[in-house]
Amino acid sequence: MIFADLVFIYMFLPVNLALYYLCKNKSYRNFILILFSLFFYSWGEPVWVCLLIFSSLVDYTCGLMIDKNRGKPMAKAAVFMSLLINLGLLGIFKYSGFFAENVNLLFGADLSIKRFALPVGISFYTFQTISYTVDVYRDETEVQHSFLNFLMYVSLYFQLVAGPIVRYRDVALEIDSRRETVNDFSHGLTRFCIGLTKKVMIANAAGKLSETYLHAVDGSLTVLGAWFGAILFSIQIYYDFSGYSDMAIGLGNMFGFHFLENFNYPYISKTVSEFWRRWHMSLGNFFRDYVYIPLGGNRRHQFLNLLAVWFLTGLWHGASWNFIVWGLFYCVFIVIEKIIGEKRLQKVPSFIMHIYLLLVVIVGWVLFYFEDLQQGIHYITVMFGNADALYNPNDIIDFYNNIIWAAVAVFFSTPVLKAAEKSFVNKSRYMDAFLGVVIPVINLILLVLCTSLLTGQSYNPFLYYKF
């Protein structure tokens, strides 16, 4: 099941909200969320619920062991056990087939390990449970004594299958004693409608159009067409993933949870380093706090630490060489920026830095898109002139037919509207009352438009579901 689905919007969510708010007991409310979350997760692959519950049980037990044996070798053993089991499961299901394929290729071996069907969301909830045990060991969060409450944290369907990666310490108080308010519910509903609109009206449209170019037959792709396809995919993946994050954060608000932001207008960045401080922030923060800093951070072996982080970032996204190359591709630019220095980069005109960033990111998304690395590299060569033609009439027609839509998509990927709204609200004492009337109307309009587009539409999962 996905959020951008009529069954979820008009059946699953209303029933969940009704039962949740009809129940006044806090413990029962948590139990209701567990049941609905497990049902949501098992909608397409019920067998993987067992793996989710097992991972939760492992880290719940490890947390108790750490808390009971602080300062003793058993505490370290519990952390090691958590890492071994969680990363072991992730390795078996996500990377064993990839490893076997490359061993066979390099050494002529005959390992017959096939790729497993990947449990949805395993990369996300594995990192969440690991962060819990490590934080308990570091004494940065208190241990959770209720297994059901811990299972609720791991299984919450709001962010289970595609993030954001929610650390236990950020929601610990809300798991045990949260307070739902009308204001939070209203903000959550608006955030959900915004995310749904991003997904249905922009990401889906961009994805459908981009396939015309990204899947073009050899020889038919022009330079302009290649750039058009890459830019469309860049729009698609931003609105797809940020739209999901908006919906996840909005759903959390409806039930009294406050998740940290996962996107902060990444396409307005001027450097690659800044881009990754704004894109998928929960993943970047995880690697910073649990890999980069423990390895030494900026203090020692900085470039080796960056290499390790970006190799793992690429590998986390998928068991394929294109993702590894994609991660290392970003590593190269970040290292170059570190060598040049932030002060020198600030002296370069902003528009030049912004163009540089967009070029790097757009090319990077091509590497990300094509799991066949050779195909991705070939596509990039076409973008830079390795084509039979610069453009053809169809490219021009598609460009003019979609220029307004694309301009709107680009506009809403910047904080211009948000800044204008804040400025206007601060200058008008009647704004709160005005928005109290207008926002529900806008939400209803957006919901009706998205519903009409979803009616009869084929299954279209979020891009990050497969990670």
Side-chain angles (χ1 to χ4, degrees), residues 22 94 102 104 183 188 237 261 315 327 337 358 362 421 461:
L22 285 173
K94 191 169 184 176
N102 284 278
N104 291 341
N183 190 49
I237 196 168
E261 294 295 333
L315 191 63
E337 289 176 5
L358 290 177
I362 291 170
E421 178 189 352

Side-chain angles (χ1 to χ4, degrees), residues 26-89:
K26 293 289 186 181
S27 297
Y28 291 164
R29 283 185 170 184
N30 285 356
F31 187 66
I32 289 170
L33 284 178
I34 292 171
L35 290 179
F36 274 84
S37 294
L38 295 180
F39 179 78
F40 177 91
Y41 188 74
S42 63
W43 181 261
E45 300 174 318
V47 66
W48 298 128
V49 171
C50 299
L51 185 64
L52 173 70
I53 295 174
F54 174 74
S55 294
S56 302
L57 184 60
V58 166
D59 289 281
Y60 168 74
T61 304
C62 288
L64 293 177
M65 290 173 61
I66 293 168
D67 187 59
K68 187 178 179 180
N69 299 278
R70 289 196 180 278
K72 300 177 182 178
M74 184 60 71
K76 290 185 178 180
V79 175
F80 177 77
M81 183 171 71
S82 171
L83 293 172
L84 180 65
I85 294 176
N86 283 291
L87 295 179
L89 289 172

Side-chain angles (χ1 to χ4, degrees), residues 146-419:
S146 167
F147 175 66
L148 287 179
N149 282 356
F150 185 74
L151 178 60
M152 184 190 68
Y153 156 68
V154 177
S155 66
L156 274 177
Y157 69 85
F158 320 145
Q159 44 73 47
L160 171 62
V161 294
I165 299 170
V166 177
R167 297 192 219 181
Y168 177 81
R169 68 188 186 193
D170 292 330
V171 293
L173 292 176
E174 293 175 339
I175 289 172
D176 292 317
S177 56
R178 62 189 171 279
R179 181 172 174 266
E180 302 86 354
T181 66
V182 174
N183 190 49
D184 277 345
F185 189 94
S186 176
H187 282 299
L189 182 60
T190 299
R191 191 72 179 267
F192 180 85
C193 290
I194 290 172
L196 182 65
T197 303
K198 283 183 175 182
K199 167 62 179 170
V200 175
M201 299 184 69
I202 301 181
N204 286 1
K208 186 175 181 180
L209 187 58
S210 69
E211 289 182 355
T212 304
Y213 298 95
L214 295 169
H215 296 168
V217 179
D218 287 346
S220 64
L221 186 65
T222 65
V223 174
L224 180 61
W227 277 101
F228 198 29
I231 291 170
L232 285 168
F233 179 68
S234 301
I235 292 173
Q236 179 194 5
I237 196 168
Y238 168 69
Y239 278 101
D240 190 281
F241 195 16
S242 69
Y244 182 95
S245 293
D246 285 338
M247 283 187 270
I249 292 169
L251 287 167
N253 286 163
M254 291 185 205
F255 292 94
F257 290 93
H258 299 84
F259 300 149
L260 298 179
E261 294 295 333
N262 207 26
F263 287 86
N264 184 24
Y265 302 103
Y267 287 152
I268 69 169
S269 305
K270 298 180 180 65
T271 64
V272 173
S273 300
E274 182 188 358
F275 176 83
W276 281 100
R277 289 194 296 269
R278 294 174 175 271
W279 177 280
H280 200 351
M281 294 187 288
S282 61
L283 179 66
N285 292 340
F286 180 94
F287 277 118
R288 179 197 64 201
D289 294 343
Y290 299 104
V291 179
Y292 184 68
I293 292 176
L295 286 175
N298 299 333
R299 302 186 308 276
R300 62 180 186 275
H301 311 305
Q302 182 184 22
F303 294 154
L304 287 177
N305 299 339
L306 287 171
L307 180 64
V309 165
W310 286 101
F311 173 82
L312 292 174
T313 299
L315 191 63
W316 179 86
H317 280 84
S320 177
W321 280 107
N322 72 299
F323 294 115
I324 296 173
V325 171
W326 173 76
L328 297 178
F329 170 79
Y330 276 111
C331 181
V332 169
F333 286 98
I334 288 176
V335 168
I336 291 173
E337 289 176 5
K338 295 286 185 184
I339 293 172
I340 294 174
E342 186 175 346
K343 291 183 179 180
R344 291 192 183 96
L345 291 174
Q346 288 176 348
K347 296 178 181 179
V348 181
S350 293
F351 77 94
I352 293 178
M353 292 302 299
H354 189 59
I355 291 172
Y356 147 76
L357 181 278
L358 290 177
L359 286 174
V360 171
V361 170
I362 291 170
V363 171
W365 286 135
V366 174
L367 292 172
F368 186 91
Y369 181 85
F370 290 100
E371 292 194 19
D372 183 331
L373 184 57
Q374 289 185 336
Q375 190 176 359
I377 293 173
H378 172 71
Y379 190 98
I380 292 171
T381 65
V382 173
M383 291 170 65
F384 289 95
N386 182 26
D388 294 336
L390 182 63
Y391 64 90
N392 61 37
N394 288 333
D395 297 336
I396 304 300
I397 292 172
D398 281 343
F399 180 80
Y400 280 112
N401 286 343
N402 293 279
I403 185 65
I404 296 177
W405 169 87
V408 170
V410 171
F411 176 78
F412 283 109
S413 69
T414 70
V416 174
L417 189 62
K418 186 176 182 180

